[in-house]
């Protein structure tokens, strides 16, 4: 592996620029369980929309700066109690458990019906950017993070995506990147959903058809479910063919947790091709 500092800097900047664009594109539609016909921002923003996908990573980065290495779930849990006041879904469950002295991984597992939500995968960029080209280490750090407020698929999804993003610093082939991510994803519902999505796309090459098949087979009454939304991210990536805008609009157009799907896919695309984020996407924000 050879990665210059200049190239690393470009890809980190692209990662978080793509995340800002994708999150802003998807935020107005968060929670809508219908298809969306998007080709651009709607409405066109005048600034970046606030997003926990980014805010939580600022807290974790400051925790790493203050506590140093190793990155440990207990330090992250303490930073959570000190700095985060969001109480919806798995965030609120984790805070309640931590206040009861139930520390990770119990804080993410005990009485948590949102354990398979998107709240951990959206924090994966930090670990990928700290471990460029080292997917095993990125996945390990993502696990330390994710177990604070998730368990099962919620944790495994974060490890999978952190590994893919880490590998994307030095490898650009989608099939190779997916094989890398699957090393950190055990058999189960989430892996089946992603495998099905890739197979369905190869069969019909129609985003709406694949999206409907995903919903028909994997729907649950939680619009933040990670199996659904990570499948939409994968579909957008495959259907976009390397085009930043088309990829994001496809993923966000699937509905459900749209700010997270847009932000997570935008981050990966920004690592892969920082110059592929056109000015038409960055100028409004």
């Amino acid at each position: 592996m050879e990665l210059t500092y200049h190239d690393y800097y470009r890809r980190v900047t692209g990662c978080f620029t793509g995340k800002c664009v994708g999150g802003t594109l998807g935020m107005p539609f968060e929670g809508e369980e219908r298809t969306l016909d998007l080709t651009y921002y709607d409405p066109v923003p005048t600034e970046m929309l606030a997003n926990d996908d980014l805010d939580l990573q600022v807290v974790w980065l400051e925790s790493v700066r203050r506590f140093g290495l190793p990155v440990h779930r207990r330090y992250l849990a303490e930073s959570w109690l000190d700095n985060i006041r969001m109480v919806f879904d798995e965030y609120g469950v984790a805070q309640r458990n931590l206040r009861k002295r139930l520390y990770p991984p119990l804080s993410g597992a005990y009485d948590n019906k949102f354990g398979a939500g998107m709240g951990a995968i959206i924090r994966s960029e930090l670990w990928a950017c700290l471990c460029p080209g080292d997917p095993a280490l990125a996945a390990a750090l993502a696990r330390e993070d994710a177990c604070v407020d998730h368990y099962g698929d919620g944790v495994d999804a974060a490890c999978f995506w952190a590994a893919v993003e880490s590998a994307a610093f030095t490898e650009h082939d989608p099939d190779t990147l997916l094989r890398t991510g699957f090393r950190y994803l055990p058999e189960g519902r989430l892996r089946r959903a992603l495998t099905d999505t890739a197979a369905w796309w190869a069969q019909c090459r129609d985003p709406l058809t694949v999206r409907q098949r995903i919903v028909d087979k994997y729907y649950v009454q939680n619009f933040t479910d990670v199996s659904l939304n990570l499948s939409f991210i994968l579909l957008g990536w495959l259907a976009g063919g390397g085009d930043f805008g088309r990829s994001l609009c496809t993923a966000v157009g699937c509905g459900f947790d749209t700010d997270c799907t847009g932000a997570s896919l935008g981050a990966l695309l920004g690592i892969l091709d920082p110059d592929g984020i056109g000015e038409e996407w960055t100028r409004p924000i």
Side-chain angles (χ1 to χ4, degrees):
M1 184 191 79
E2 189 168 319
L3 183 67
T4 66
Y5 178 79
H6 174 71
D7 193 36
Y8 170 72
Y9 184 89
R10 284 178 60 250
R11 295 185 189 280
V12 170
T13 303
C15 173
F16 286 98
T17 300
K19 194 168 184 73
C20 292
V21 170
T24 300
L25 173 68
M27 181 64 77
F29 310 103
E30 182 182 22
E32 295 197 19
E33 298 184 5
R34 60 182 177 91
T35 56
L36 307 159
D37 185 16
L38 293 175
T39 57
Y40 192 57
Y41 295 115
D42 184 18
V44 178
T46 57
E47 61 183 357
M48 188 191 88
L49 299 182
N51 200 326
D52 55 308
D53 302 39
L54 282 165
D55 295 343
L56 291 169
Q57 293 187 78
V58 174
V59 176
W60 284 177
L61 180 58
E62 185 61 21
S63 175
V64 173
R65 287 166 56 87
R66 292 186 183 189
F67 289 108
L69 299 176
V71 174
H72 192 276
R73 58 192 66 180
R74 184 68 176 265
Y75 298 152
L76 297 176
E78 291 176 10
S79 294
W80 192 294
L81 285 176
D82 290 343
N83 298 286
I84 296 172
R85 297 294 179 267
M86 291 180 285
V87 297
F88 43 85
D89 293 1
E90 59 265 47
Y91 302 157
V93 172
Q95 289 189 59
R96 179 204 65 197
N97 287 340
L98 290 170
R99 292 193 186 98
K100 292 182 176 180
R101 305 294 194 270
L102 295 175
Y103 294 110
L106 279 175
S107 58
Y110 178 71
D111 194 26
N112 186 4
K113 64 181 180 180
F114 303 104
M118 285 287 289
I121 188 176
I122 62 174
R123 308 192 294 260
S124 60
E125 289 79 30
L126 174 60
W127 313 119
C129 289
L130 287 175
C131 311
D134 191 346
L137 182 55
L141 297 187
R143 185 171 297 278
E144 290 298 301
D145 168 7
C147 73
V148 176
D149 57 338
H150 292 78
Y151 67 94
D153 285 347
V155 173
D156 293 332
C159 297
F160 168 85
W161 200 240
V164 169
E165 291 172 317
S166 170
F169 277 89
T170 56
E171 174 60 59
H172 301 155
D173 176 62
D175 290 337
T176 302
L177 291 173
L178 284 173
R179 285 196 298 271
T180 298
F182 277 130
R183 294 178 198 161
Y184 308 95
L185 189 61
E187 294 294 337
R189 177 173 177 266
L190 175 58
R191 186 174 181 125
R192 289 193 300 273
L194 297 179
T195 302
D196 282 344
T197 299
W200 290 332
W201 173 251
Q203 289 170 6
C204 71
R205 300 275 173 169
D206 179 63
L208 290 177
T209 298
V210 176
R211 186 261 184 199
Q212 191 58 51
R213 290 180 181 178
I214 294 167
V215 173
D216 288 345
K217 187 170 181 178
Y218 293 102
Y219 178 81
V220 294
Q221 285 187 318
N222 176 9
F223 77 85
T224 72
D225 177 71
V226 75
S227 293
L228 274 176
N229 288 286
L230 187 49
S231 296
F232 297 151
I233 291 170
L234 176 57
L235 175 59
W237 183 17
L238 297 176
D243 183 276
F244 179 81
R246 184 164 68 246
S247 300
L248 285 191
C249 288
T250 300
V252 172
C254 291
F256 290 80
D257 202 357
T258 50
D259 64 316
C260 293
T261 56
S264 295
L265 180 55
L268 174 65
L269 297 173
I271 296 173
L272 288 169
D273 183 14
D275 298 326
I277 307 175
E279 186 183 356
E280 70 273 17
W281 291 104
T282 58
R283 188 188 311 110
I285 64 170

